[in-house]
Amino acid sequence: MEKLITEGDLSILKNKDIAVIGYGNQGSAQATIMKDNGLNVIVGNIRDEYAKKAEKDGFKVYDIPEAFERADLVLMLIPDEVAPEVYKSVESIVNKKEGLILDFASGYNVAFGFISPPKTSDVIMVAPRMIGEGELLLHKQGKGYPVFLGVKNDYSGKAWEYAKALAVGIGAIGKPGGIAVKSSFEEEALLDLLSEHTWAPILVASIKAYFDIVTEKYGASPEAAILELYASGELAEIARAMADVGIFKQMKFHSTTSQYGQFSRAEKYYDILRRITEDEAEKIWNGEFAKEWSLEQIAGKPVLNRLWNIYTESKLSKSEESLYKILGRDKNE
């Protein structure tokens, strides 16, 4: 099978009853796009505000076990940390429904054994590399977006075809700009977690270090520092240019002084960051992080809650709050 995929046969899903479990960011976007594409979609959700929104948007909403009972294809679009408990509540239904197609938007729970679907199910992964709001915007523009596709169990012999068809159904491929990459549950989990353990925290740490040094040691105004760092929107434009033309070609949009500073200092940081990345990748791959995160959840997330307090009470956070009030921005959005 080809590694890069741009097309799929949506017709094989036309006679399927499709249940979207969870009507949050991904659930609402994928359900809406599938409905627009003529598929039979219901929503499985607890009776909360998300369920009310789904009903308002025109979907029939059922309790999660009933949604599983009614469906031929189930999309598990709930947060990783609650998915195992939800799956446990419907496991007996899944076990007796031979040929059920189970889709996951993240490889995490299956890769690390928190969810173990039966061999009598097709177990696929259609993992968008896009937030729900972005999926809807691109759908309205007639454009696609990237997804990772994986198959953990091919009971029917058609699991890959179902994965490709679903990628079409949710608006990812079959349109300009849309591409699917053949992957696996394990690879997706590694890539996703490693982003969250390397460049993302490094960005946060470097911004905070920059802010603390220039304001505390050199007397720079907090407002000027925050605008320079990210509040002006320049950082977002750089990221957009990376997506559009590539990480190195976008450097041509910067001054030669900037180019020299970035390339020469990248060499300075590379060896340190490579060692950190190698260590984090190993801890993800061998399951050490999955164990760490599970224990953190069992304990009531004390470390996460403490870190939230530390960062939101920092000088950077307080200064940002003051600046954003002046700018008329809502920090909580």
Side-chain angles (χ1 to χ4, degrees):
M1 181 181 174
E2 67 273 31
K3 184 76 174 179
L4 301 179
I5 303 158
T6 58
E7 298 290 341
D9 180 10
L10 186 62
S11 67
I12 66 172
L13 298 181
K14 291 289 187 180
N15 63 342
K16 304 289 186 187
D17 290 320
I18 302 171
V20 170
I21 307 302
Y23 200 72
N25 186 327
Q26 284 292 336
S28 59
Q30 293 190 34
T32 299
I33 296 169
M34 286 191 291
K35 184 172 71 170
D36 287 350
N37 284 331
L39 299 178
N40 303 316
V41 183
I42 62 172
V43 171
N45 207 93
I46 61 174
R47 304 309 300 179
D48 60 7
E49 293 302 314
Y50 292 105
K52 292 178 182 176
K53 184 177 186 303
E55 289 173 337
K56 185 178 179 181
D57 291 343
F59 292 99
K60 291 183 178 179
V61 180
Y62 301 93
D63 290 337
I64 291 173
E66 185 172 356
F68 267 83
E69 289 277 14
R70 290 175 173 269
D72 303 303
L73 164 60
V74 176
L75 282 65
M76 289 285 283
L77 301 180
I78 50 181
D80 284 336
E81 61 266 29
V82 301
E85 183 179 354
V86 171
Y87 182 80
K88 189 178 295 185
S89 72
V90 298
E91 190 168 15
S92 62
I93 299 172
V94 176
N95 289 342
K96 72 181 182 182
K97 290 195 69 171
E98 184 178 352
L100 179 67
I101 307 163
L102 275 174
D103 167 64
F104 294 85
S106 162
Y108 182 83
N109 281 306
V110 173
F112 293 108
F114 296 114
I115 295 177
S116 298
K119 294 298 184 182
T120 52
S121 294
D122 281 332
V123 183
I124 66 176
M125 177 186 70
V126 180
R129 315 327 283 173
M130 179 70 61
I131 62 172
E133 184 178 340
E135 293 165 16
L136 283 171
L137 178 61
L138 290 168
H139 171 62
K140 292 174 183 176
Q141 295 173 346
K143 298 178 181 178
Y145 54 88
V147 289
F148 291 169
L149 301 184
V151 169
K152 193 66 174 177
N153 192 50
D154 188 5
Y155 176 73
S156 68
K158 298 188 291 185
W160 278 110
E161 298 308 310
Y162 287 137
K164 291 191 289 184
L166 184 55
V168 175
I170 65 171
I173 62 174
K175 297 178 180 179
I179 190 166
V181 179
K182 184 182 179 183
S183 184
S184 67
F185 284 70
E186 292 77 14
E187 181 181 75
E188 192 279 338
L190 171 66
L191 296 177
D192 190 44
L193 291 172
L194 195 58
S195 291
E196 297 162 3
H197 293 199
T198 54
W199 68 262
I202 288 166
L203 178 62
V204 172
S206 62
I207 285 174
K208 190 171 185 302
Y210 176 118
F211 176 85
D212 290 344
I213 289 168
V214 298
T215 58
E216 295 170 7
K217 189 171 182 179
Y218 296 99
S221 74
E223 296 80 9
I226 292 170
L227 286 166
E228 174 64 27
L229 283 162
Y230 57 87
S232 68
E234 183 181 19
L235 181 61
E237 291 303 317
I238 292 170
R240 171 51 57 192
M242 288 181 184
D244 288 343
V245 302
I247 189 170
F248 299 120
K249 285 187 178 180
Q250 66 85 28
M251 291 287 282
K252 295 178 180 179
F253 304 148
H254 301 250
S255 70
T256 52
T257 304
S258 175
Q259 293 170 27
Y260 176 76
Q262 291 185 59
F263 281 136
S264 61
R265 271 51 184 180
E267 290 296 298
K268 180 179 178 181
Y269 298 134
Y270 178 80
D271 288 340
I272 298 170
L273 297 180
R274 180 174 177 122
R275 288 196 295 272
I276 293 171
T277 302
E278 286 178 340
D279 182 58
E280 291 298 328
E282 176 62 23
K283 289 177 179 177
I284 292 167
W285 193 253
N286 66 21
E288 186 176 337
F289 172 75
K291 178 182 177 181
E292 175 190 332
W293 177 225
S294 292
L295 292 173
E296 170 72 2
Q297 292 174 69
I298 291 169
K301 304 179 185 175
V303 175
L304 179 59
N305 292 334
R306 178 61 180 150
L307 290 171
W308 262 109
N309 287 335
I310 290 171
Y311 279 95
T312 55
E313 293 300 317
S314 68
K315 181 181 177 183
L316 171 58
S317 181
K318 297 296 185 184
S319 299
E320 179 192 272
E321 189 172 4
S322 297
L323 174 62
Y324 278 27
K325 282 182 180 178
I326 295 170
L327 295 174
R329 300 177 189 173
D330 186 345
K331 188 181 176 184
N332 294 317
E333 285 189 350

